[in-house]
Amino acid sequence: MDSISRERRTANMAAIRSANTKPEMLVRRFLHQNGLRYRLHSTGLPGKPDIVFPSRRIAVFVHGCFWHGCRKCIDGRRKVRSNADYWSEKICRNRKRDRLNVRALRKLGWNILTIWECEIATQSRLAELASSIKAAAPQRSHRSARS
Ligand SMILES: [Zn+2]
């Protein structure tokens, strides 16, 4: 195996992308175990938050460190050797879009919680997330969460 073919590289990138759904699964499982019931991928909201608690007005984003340019870990600063400019621009755009989505959601009265892929390994960070969600009491006046 002396060089990686283009096909192979594409397959590798696809694998990275689908692996990125895994952190979200871990977060979901943790929240579920903690008695929190949520909705997924609210397409009607800016940025399609990964996990939504409509009655508490909380939207959770689970960010892959590489794709969203995490500043807390090495993955977020990783440079892709081929097409470096393409990737850094892409990630820069992702970060910008994330910020705009957060702003738009706040305007609509949502609270936004973001958890990074690299934080998920830490149980205490997950516990913190769960307690922030629980701290926001469901609003009865809001349209029934159970529809
Ligand atoms: Zn990170």
Side-chain angles (χ1 to χ4, degrees), residues 16 22-23 27 34 36-37 41 45 60-62 64 71 74 76 91 95 103 110 113 115 120 123 128 134 139 142:
I16 291 170
K22 215 180 140 216
V27 173
N34 279 269
L36 289 161
R37 298 296 176 261
H41 307 284
L45 293 174
V60 180
F61 286 101
V62 183
R71 296 261 159 110
I74 194 83
I91 287 160
R95 287 179 56 87
R103 213 175 299 161
W110 289 82
L113 299 170
I115 186 159
I120 291 164
Q123 282 289 307
E128 206 179 288
K134 284 180 182 167
Q139 293 160 21
H142 193 67

Side-chain angles (χ1 to χ4, degrees), residues 39-49 52 104-105 108 110:
R39 282 202 211 156
L40 298 175
H41 307 284
S42 232
T43 47
L45 293 174
K48 301 192 195 87
V52 177
L105 283 164
L108 293 169
W110 289 82

Side-chain angles (χ1 to χ4, degrees), residues 86-102:
Y86 167 80
W87 289 108
S88 68
E89 262 170 49
K90 187 175 173 60
I91 287 160
C92 192
R93 271 202 310 275
N94 286 346
R95 287 179 56 87
K96 199 172 189 178
R97 203 177 44 217
D98 290 342
R99 279 198 302 274
L100 291 175
N101 287 332
V102 165

Side-chain angles (χ1 to χ4, degrees), residues 65 70 72-73 116 118:
C65 292
C70 176
K72 303 175 190 215
C73 75
W116 292 85
C118 62

